[in-house]
Amino acid sequence: MKKVLGNKKAIALFVVPALILYTVIVMVPVIWSLYYSFFSGSPGLQWEFAGFENYARLFRDKNFFNSLTVNFKYIAVVTVGQVGLGLLLSLMFKFWLRRCKTIIRTLVFFPVVLPTVAVGQLFAKIYEIQPNYGLLNSFLSAVGLQGLVQPWIGQASTALWCLCIMDIWVAMGFYSVIFYGALLDIPDDIMEAARIDGAGSFAMFKSILLPLLRPMIITSLVFSFSGTVKMFESAMALTNGGPGSATKSLSMYMYDVSFTYNKVGYGSVIAIVIFLICVLGSFIINRFDVKE
């Protein structure tokens, strides 16, 4: 192995193809978007050099700031929910479920492989109020909470939170499997020694499991954050960005600007903002993995 890793040709053989693929798929579109951001209109249609006008316009655009606010709320709730519930589920698989845990893990992971459109239609039926009550409103009505029956995805005050619940439900099984694999790699001798020393469940989690799971938690947070920044498919499937613009993310706004209103230059600026948020957020999260 040392002989292979010390051979520069062998290193190039492994690294160069991946680097070329990454450059073509990731870096070229980023540079292309940066180039487009200095023009107004759409290529072939009123395509004119605009300098920094698109960037200046960004700070005057109320719709952009509304979409940015929606994105940040969504990121905060969904990232914590997906990773946090995934960790709790993995602890349940490891320490409390002795029987049928394989079946339960499969059922929990199953939503991950479902098509986004199918999940959106499923939750639309759950939240439905007309022409018939969906599962949620039927349950509230059945237990005497008729006052809580409402159009959950038809009003701005609840639509975003309903979307967050759906996306947490979809992905928490994925993170539970990741954490469960990490828990299996922790030697039982360490936890047994802690029990002998009188450590309770919370102390064991805080002082032993959490530090050992820290790299996996950081990785999962980066995965979840990167996915939530690009929020598009689930919102399109469940609410189509509505009602109004209550669930319209930056990606959805960028799509509308670029392809509905044919302002590709301004849409490229929004795409660059999404890219920068993703890079900056991932960098901040990874800073917590720095060993003291």
Side-chain angles (χ1 to χ4, degrees), residues 3-177:
K3 184 177 180 180
V4 173
L5 294 178
N7 189 329
K8 293 183 179 180
K9 292 183 179 179
I11 295 174
L13 181 63
F14 287 109
V15 173
V16 171
L19 183 62
I20 293 174
L21 188 64
Y22 179 82
T23 301
V24 172
I25 295 177
V26 178
M27 296 310 299
V28 170
V30 170
I31 296 172
W32 203 345
S33 295
L34 183 62
Y35 169 76
Y36 274 8
S37 68
F38 293 102
F39 291 82
S40 62
S42 182
L45 183 65
Q46 297 179 348
W47 190 239
E48 300 175 352
F49 181 76
F52 290 95
E53 175 58 30
N54 288 325
Y55 291 90
R57 178 183 175 184
L58 200 68
F59 296 97
R60 304 190 302 265
D61 190 351
K62 293 182 180 179
N63 292 325
F64 166 77
F65 285 106
N66 176 75
S67 298
L68 186 64
T69 302
V70 169
N71 249 84
F72 281 150
K73 289 179 180 179
Y74 176 85
I75 290 168
V77 175
V78 175
T79 300
V80 174
Q82 288 177 348
V83 177
L85 288 178
L87 179 57
L88 290 176
L89 285 171
S90 67
L91 293 172
M92 183 178 70
F93 297 153
K94 173 70 175 177
F95 297 107
W96 290 295
L97 283 178
R98 300 298 179 185
R99 297 179 180 178
C100 303
K101 61 182 180 181
T102 302
I103 297 176
I104 295 175
R105 285 204 311 269
T106 302
L107 292 175
V108 171
F109 185 81
F110 183 68
V112 178
V113 300
L114 290 176
T116 303
V117 174
V119 174
Q121 289 300 307
L122 170 64
F123 273 80
K125 293 298 182 183
I126 291 175
Y127 294 132
E128 190 176 47
I129 191 172
Q130 288 181 345
N132 300 304
Y133 282 176
L135 179 63
L136 179 56
N137 284 326
S138 295
F139 172 78
L140 293 173
S141 179
V143 298
L145 298 175
Q146 186 68 34
L148 294 179
V149 173
Q150 55 190 297
W152 295 96
I153 58 175
Q155 57 187 12
S157 59
T158 57
L160 179 60
W161 313 123
C162 291
L163 175 62
C164 291
I165 291 171
M166 183 185 81
D167 285 342
I168 290 172
W169 176 80
V170 167
M172 64 182 184
F174 171 76
Y175 294 103
S176 70
V177 171

Side-chain angles (χ1 to χ4, degrees), residues 235-249:
M236 184 67 73
L238 182 64
T239 63
N240 197 26
S245 57
T247 57
K248 179 171 287 188
S249 65

